[in-house]
């Protein structure tokens, strides 16, 4: 049985952090892919030229990357881990004698100069450019989806939206409340006011979308390249279906503006198959919609559905199986009318005479005098999506869409982003953007260590 040697401690040690970090360590691979050389220039105007020297912003960014990479959500605990873990010290460029900054420094910079300068978005874009330069982005197919993440807001602190709340109460004067009051003038935000409002984080959305009891939450929206699953853009929204779908337009336009990439096809689930969204893809952007059409015209009984009627675009009418015409107007008006309803449809009606003597009336319109069909003003785009849905490429796209789900699972189970720590929409955006940047860094480190990929798109000059 051996015994550990004791006695007097050595007076001098020869120790090098570089020698104790394994070559295969994740942080080594990430460090090879990370380039923060332009960070100081990006933040230059947000620092004063006088006063005491401040903390190096690169140190704070590297520490945050470590925290998000290893699921260390608490900034206080992150400082303790960097103090003790040699690999974390090496990645943060700290020697054994260097002191670790105080956890309050993170809060001051996150809500101060980092948010004012949009530093996390800058970091995310830089990582995407590195992925493009490594050939991980093909740019041919994009996939989009959203995932609900619980907000840092208690269910007990929610009140009905109809209840009058005194927001001038000093007890409610928080950063999240001030941000909510500033956003009240936004028309898009007012259209998505929930039934219940959190007094802690009013911009979060009361939702039961994942199933189970309702809670306050935000949604993280990912736009990925389907070749290697690189996240090209991320957007934080309240947990509301309309806001999630609308964020797709923002992300696609932003990727086109910043990286000069427009996909040939866009993959999504049924939520993105609304008529206006399909029209935006087909008519405005020239993108193939590999999306199931949101269609409620198919009847579940034995009666005839709208698809059983033949559309004649030149005559602007439908033809029923018996050959009778369904028209939006049957006489000429002095003032031309569009016949477009508030729902964005045009109603085509058969004549009472044709339906009254038709033998198929019990199967066609048993409860109404004549048959009516509501045709969307974007029906041409819906027809394009239906034709694509019958192709082999569409079936492959349905499998590629699962890459987004894998990223959401990784976000919540590995990075521990299943509940937010920051409040307000900007706080959610900071957390989601930084987490997406770390996911891209991990993927870049993993794939580039296995050799260069092929058929990629280089980063723009």
């Amino acid at each position: 049985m051996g015994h550990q040697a004791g006695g007097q401690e050595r007076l001098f040690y020869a120790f090098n952090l570089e020698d104790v970090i394994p070559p295969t360590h994740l942080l080594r691979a990430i460090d090879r892919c990370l380039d923060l050389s332009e960070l100081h220039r990006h933040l230059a105007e947000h620092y004063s030229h006088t006063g005491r020297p401040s903390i190096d912003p690169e140190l704070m960014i590297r520490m945050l990357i470590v925290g998000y990479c290893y699921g260390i959500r608490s900034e206080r605990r992150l400082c303790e881990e960097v103090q003790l873990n040699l690999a974390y010290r090496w990645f943060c460029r700290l020697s054994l004698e260097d002191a670790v900054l105080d956890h309050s420094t993170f809060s001051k910079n996150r809500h101060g100069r980092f948010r004012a300068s949009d530093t996390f978005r800058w970091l995310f874009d830089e990582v995407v450019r590195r992925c493009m330069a490594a050939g991980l982005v093909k740019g041919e197919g994009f996939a989009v989806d959203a995932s609900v993440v619980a907000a840092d807001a208690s269910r007990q602190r929610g009140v009905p939206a109809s209840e009058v709340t005194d927001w001038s109460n000093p007890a409610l004067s928080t950063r999240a409340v001030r941000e909510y009051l500033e956003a009240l003038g936004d028309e898009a935000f007012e259209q998505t006011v929930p039934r219940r409002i959190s007094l802690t984080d009013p911009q979060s959305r009361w939702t039961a979308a994942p199933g189970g009891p309702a809670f306050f939450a935000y949604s993280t929206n990912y736009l990925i390249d389907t070749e290697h699953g690189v996240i090209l853009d991320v957007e934080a929204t309240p947990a509301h279906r309309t806001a999630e779908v609308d964020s797709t337009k923002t992300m696609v336009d932003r990727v086109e503006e910043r990286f000069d990439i427009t996909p040939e096809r866009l993959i999504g689930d049924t939520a993105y198959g609304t008529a206006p969204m399909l029209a935006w893809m087909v008519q405005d952007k020239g993108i193939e919609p590999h999306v199931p059409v949101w269609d409620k015209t198919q009847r579940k009984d034995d009666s005839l559905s709208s698809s059983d009627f033949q559309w004649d675009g030149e005559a602007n009418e439908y033809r029923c199986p018996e050959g009778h015409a369904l028209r939006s107007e049957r006489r000429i008006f002095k003032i031309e009318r569009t016949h477009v309803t508030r729902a964005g449809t045009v109603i085509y009606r058969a004549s009472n005479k044709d339906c009254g003597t038709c033998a198929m009336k019990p199967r066609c319109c048993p409860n109404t005098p004549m048959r009516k069909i509501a045709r969307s003003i974007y029906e041409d785009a819906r027809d394009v999506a239906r034709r694509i849905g019958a192709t082999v490429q569409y079936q492959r796209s349905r499998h590629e869409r699962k890459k987004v789900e894998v990223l959401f699972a990784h976000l919540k189970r590995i990075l521990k982003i299943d509940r937010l720590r920051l409040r307000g929409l900007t706080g959610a955006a900071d957390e989601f953007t930084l987490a997406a940047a770390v996911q891209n860094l991990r993927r870049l480190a993993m794939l580039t260590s296995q050799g260069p990929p092929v058929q990629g798109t280089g980063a723009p000059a």
Side-chain angles (χ1 to χ4, degrees), residues 197-246:
I197 296 179
S198 170
L199 299 180
T200 305
D201 190 352
Q203 284 185 295
S204 60
R205 179 79 182 196
W206 180 254
T207 180
F215 57 96
F216 294 105
Y218 288 96
S219 289
T220 176
N221 301 268
Y222 278 3
L223 182 70
I224 73 165
D225 184 85
T226 58
E227 184 69 10
H228 292 282
V230 174
I231 306 170
L232 294 179
D233 207 344
V234 56
E235 183 76 5
T237 62
H240 184 264
R241 184 61 57 85
T242 302
E244 294 170 358
V245 174
D246 290 343

Side-chain angles (χ1 to χ4, degrees), residues 269-339:
D269 57 22
T270 309
Y272 302 89
T274 60
M277 187 65 188
L278 293 174
W280 176 81
M281 296 184 204
V282 175
Q283 300 172 5
D284 297 347
K285 306 299 293 186
I287 300 174
E288 292 184 1
H290 287 233
V291 179
V293 179
W294 181 279
D295 193 356
K296 293 186 177 181
T297 61
Q298 296 297 320
R299 298 186 177 183
K300 298 181 180 180
D301 52 16
D302 293 333
S303 59
L304 300 178
S305 299
S306 300
S307 57
D308 296 320
F309 291 72
Q310 185 68 34
W311 168 250
D312 187 346
E314 295 183 359
N316 190 27
E317 65 181 20
Y318 279 97
R319 285 283 174 176
C320 74
E322 294 294 316
H324 302 304
L326 286 76
R327 300 190 178 97
S328 59
E329 61 181 23
R330 294 185 175 273
R331 63 185 179 90
I332 300 176
F333 294 90
K334 293 182 179 179
I335 301 177
E336 186 177 355
R337 302 182 181 183
T338 62
H339 302 285

Side-chain angles (χ1 to χ4, degrees), residues 372-389:
K372 297 186 294 183
I373 294 179
R375 179 181 175 85
S376 172
I377 57 177
Y378 307 116
E379 195 66 26
D380 291 340
R382 285 158 57 91
D383 289 338
V384 171
R386 292 189 183 101
R387 289 193 295 269
I388 293 175

Side-chain angles (χ1 to χ4, degrees), residues 7-16 96-97:
Q8 185 178 4
E9 296 183 358
R10 296 172 59 182
L11 295 178
F12 302 98
Y13 290 87
F15 186 85
N16 187 359
L96 291 177
E97 295 84 8

Side-chain angles (χ1 to χ4, degrees), residues 146-442:
S147 183
V148 176
V149 179
D152 185 25
S154 172
R155 298 174 59 191
Q156 285 71 28
R157 289 277 292 168
V159 297
S162 57
E163 181 178 318
V164 178
T165 303
D166 183 14
W167 296 109
S168 61
N169 187 347
L172 300 178
S173 182
T174 62
R175 182 183 293 106
V177 171
R178 292 194 296 269
E179 184 179 328
Y180 165 76
L181 296 177
E182 293 173 358
L184 286 179
D186 189 352
E187 182 179 354
F189 177 76
E190 291 181 350
Q191 291 177 354
T192 60
V193 175
R195 300 183 199 177
R196 292 179 63 83
I197 296 179
S198 170
L199 299 180
T200 305
D201 190 352
Q203 284 185 295
S204 60
R205 179 79 182 196
W206 180 254
T207 180
F215 57 96
F216 294 105
Y218 288 96
S219 289
T220 176
N221 301 268
Y222 278 3
L223 182 70
I224 73 165
D225 184 85
T226 58
E227 184 69 10
H228 292 282
V230 174
I231 306 170
L232 294 179
D233 207 344
V234 56
E235 183 76 5
T237 62
H240 184 264
R241 184 61 57 85
T242 302
E244 294 170 358
V245 174
D246 290 343
S247 69
T248 304
K249 301 178 182 179
T250 302
M251 292 189 291
V252 171
D253 289 340
R254 190 158 50 200
V255 168
E256 181 179 2
E257 175 186 354
R258 298 189 178 186
F259 307 117
D260 193 25
I261 303 177
T262 303
E264 297 177 9
R265 56 192 172 97
L266 181 62
I267 308 168
D269 57 22
T270 309
Y272 302 89
T274 60
M277 187 65 188
L278 293 174
W280 176 81
M281 296 184 204
V282 175
Q283 300 172 5
D284 297 347
K285 306 299 293 186
I287 300 174
E288 292 184 1
H290 287 233
V291 179
V293 179
W294 181 279
D295 193 356
K296 293 186 177 181
T297 61
Q298 296 297 320
R299 298 186 177 183
K300 298 181 180 180
D301 52 16
D302 293 333
S303 59
L304 300 178
S305 299
S306 300
S307 57
D308 296 320
F309 291 72
Q310 185 68 34
W311 168 250
D312 187 346
E314 295 183 359
N316 190 27
E317 65 181 20
Y318 279 97
R319 285 283 174 176
C320 74
E322 294 294 316
H324 302 304
L326 286 76
R327 300 190 178 97
S328 59
E329 61 181 23
R330 294 185 175 273
R331 63 185 179 90
I332 300 176
F333 294 90
K334 293 182 179 179
I335 301 177
E336 186 177 355
R337 302 182 181 183
T338 62
H339 302 285
V340 178
T341 66
R342 293 182 179 180
T345 60
V346 177
I347 307 299
Y348 291 82
R349 298 177 175 86
S351 66
N352 284 336
K353 179 180 179 182
D354 291 338
C355 289
T357 58
C358 183
M360 295 190 66
K361 186 178 186 304
R363 286 193 57 202
C364 183
C365 51
N367 301 320
T368 57
M370 87 286 289
R371 179 60 187 261
K372 297 186 294 183
I373 294 179
R375 179 181 175 85
S376 172
I377 57 177
Y378 307 116
E379 195 66 26
D380 291 340
R382 285 158 57 91
D383 289 338
V384 171
R386 292 189 183 101
R387 289 193 295 269
I388 293 175
T391 62
V392 176
Q393 177 63 35
Y394 176 83
Q395 298 302 323
R396 184 169 72 90
S397 296
R398 305 315 300 162
H399 291 283
E400 292 178 335
R401 194 183 70 84
K402 297 178 182 179
K403 295 181 180 181
V404 191
E405 301 292 345
V406 171
L407 287 168
F408 289 145
H410 181 269
L411 175 75
K412 295 180 178 181
R413 298 189 63 182
I414 306 301
L415 303 190
K416 309 299 183 184
I417 312 291
D418 53 356
R419 182 183 177 90
L420 295 173
R421 294 182 63 87
L422 302 183
R423 294 171 180 170
L425 189 59
T426 55
D430 288 349
E431 290 210 60
F432 293 153
T433 304
L434 189 53
V438 168
Q439 286 183 293
N440 279 344
L441 276 173
R442 291 173 64 111

